[in-house]
Amino acid sequence: MLFIRSRLLLTDEDRVGPTDEFWDIRIRRGAKVRQDPLSGFDDILSAVRRKRVLLLVHGYNNLLDDVIRAYGLIEEMVRRRLRNVYDVILGYTWPGGDSRFDYFSAKTRAGALAPRFSENLRALTANAASRPAALDIMTHSMGSRLTLEAIKHFNRRNVIRNLLLMASAVDNESIERGEEYFAPARSVRNAIVFHSRHDHVLKYAYALAEFDAALGLNGPEDAGSIMRHSPATFVVNCKNHVRSHGGYKSSDAVYRFLAQNATTVRAPQFSTL
């Protein structure tokens, strides 16, 4: 898997590198077996040219080994379930901390990295000859905040096909009209919110930190606002299949939904798996 890395020295969970670096990391059975530096972003562009691309953005409190394990599992599930949907998977890794107590530091870094991540999105899609045939972004937890902030800076409509927001650690009203992520969520072709009431990390830790409910717990606060103002935002209740904060990446039901809806969303605006 090709990686875009904003961490210092690849493995630093707490510090941002001065510039992004690009790596080819081979993953087997959830472990890194080889890593090679790429010569630059042109290697990424060559890999994604006219391909259907899935870009992964992890959340906070992730050692590099945790990220590799999670991305390796997603890569395997995509091979098995979505081989007709995606040709290339890219991994993005950022310094999200190495402790559950790093929440506010990681949140600050996510906001600070958003302009840089936005430039990566711009570089991926700027040239008609080298851009992907389709670009989907799958986010998890605080990775949703980083990505939505980046899309604010990106400020281009319908370039990203699907924004897949899983276990999103942003406020449950944040994608509704008049809120901070309303415009970014509407600027992609489809924004798909996956949530589960069994996510105890969001139910307790997020609520304690933010004094609010998370989007990834029970979906948007005002479903009527989504229906009135965001026709291309879809909400998927995963309560019957996802029973943990990280359960989406291994859920067959989630990948079946993506197989049926990634190219053209056929599901109703609000659905339950």
Side-chain angles (χ1 to χ4, degrees):
M1 183 185 299
L2 301 186
F3 275 71
I4 301 170
R5 182 232 68 173
S6 293
R7 298 174 182 233
L8 181 66
L9 302 176
L10 188 61
T11 56
D12 195 313
E13 286 81 26
D14 298 306
R15 290 181 293 175
V16 175
T19 60
D20 284 348
E21 293 184 0
F22 312 101
W23 294 78
D24 182 358
I25 299 180
R26 303 298 172 89
I27 305 171
R28 185 176 302 149
R29 296 179 181 176
K32 176 181 67 180
V33 295
R34 197 178 102 196
Q35 67 180 47
D36 299 302
L38 302 177
S39 59
F41 198 79
D42 284 348
D43 289 344
I44 300 287
L45 292 178
S46 296
V48 304
R49 181 177 181 271
R50 309 312 302 159
K51 301 290 181 62
R52 300 165 299 177
V53 176
L54 178 64
L55 174 59
L56 309 178
V57 184
H58 63 77
Y60 95 105
N61 186 19
N62 276 290
L63 300 171
L64 182 63
D65 285 347
D66 298 329
V67 173
I68 286 173
R69 190 177 305 112
Y71 285 4
L73 175 56
I74 294 170
E75 184 177 46
E76 179 59 28
M77 295 295 282
V78 167
R79 279 202 202 103
R80 288 162 50 191
R81 302 286 189 249
L82 301 175
R83 65 178 65 185
N84 295 322
V85 178
Y86 299 113
D87 305 306
V88 175
I89 301 176
L90 294 180
Y92 178 69
T93 184
W94 61 285
D98 58 1
S99 164
R100 67 182 185 275
F101 301 111
D102 284 340
Y103 176 85
F104 289 105
S105 296
K107 182 179 177 182
T108 298
R109 287 194 294 272
L113 279 167
R116 185 190 293 191
F117 187 43
S118 176
E119 285 306 308
N120 284 315
L121 297 179
R122 196 177 308 280
L124 275 174
T125 58
N127 190 324
S130 62
R131 69 170 62 123
L135 174 62
D136 291 0
I137 306 178
M138 179 186 289
T139 74
H140 181 256
S141 194
M142 197 180 289
S144 298
R145 179 179 297 279
L146 193 161
T147 303
L148 286 162
E149 288 284 349
I151 293 172
K152 271 188 186 178
H153 293 274
F154 185 50
N155 196 29
R156 292 179 63 196
R157 294 187 62 82
N158 296 325
V159 173
I160 297 163
R161 182 178 64 175
N162 296 313
L163 176 60
L164 310 172
L165 300 166
M166 299 185 175
S168 294
V170 297
D171 291 350
N172 61 351
E173 74 277 6
S174 63
I175 62 170
E176 295 166 18
R177 187 179 186 184
E179 301 296 338
E180 61 180 332
Y181 298 134
F182 175 69
R186 280 173 52 94
S187 71
V188 301
R189 199 172 306 168
N190 302 299
I192 308 178
V193 176
F194 296 82
H195 68 90
S196 173
R197 70 185 187 196
H198 303 297
D199 187 334
H200 286 185
V201 170
L202 295 182
K203 186 174 184 178
Y204 298 111
Y206 183 89
L208 182 63
E210 297 286 355
F211 297 99
D212 204 342
L215 180 65
L217 184 63
N218 290 306
E221 182 177 67
D222 185 352
S225 175
I226 299 298
M227 289 186 282
R228 287 190 300 274
H229 304 297
S230 302
T233 293
F234 299 85
V235 181
V236 185
N237 188 337
C238 302
K239 65 179 181 179
N240 297 323
H241 298 278
V242 175
R243 307 190 72 82
S244 67
H245 189 54
Y248 298 89
K249 62 183 176 291
S250 58
S251 170
D252 281 328
V254 168
Y255 291 96
R256 285 196 301 270
F257 179 92
L258 292 176
Q260 295 164 4
N261 293 283
T263 303
T264 302
V265 180
R266 300 177 177 87
Q269 191 170 20
F270 286 76
S271 60
T272 299
L273 299 185

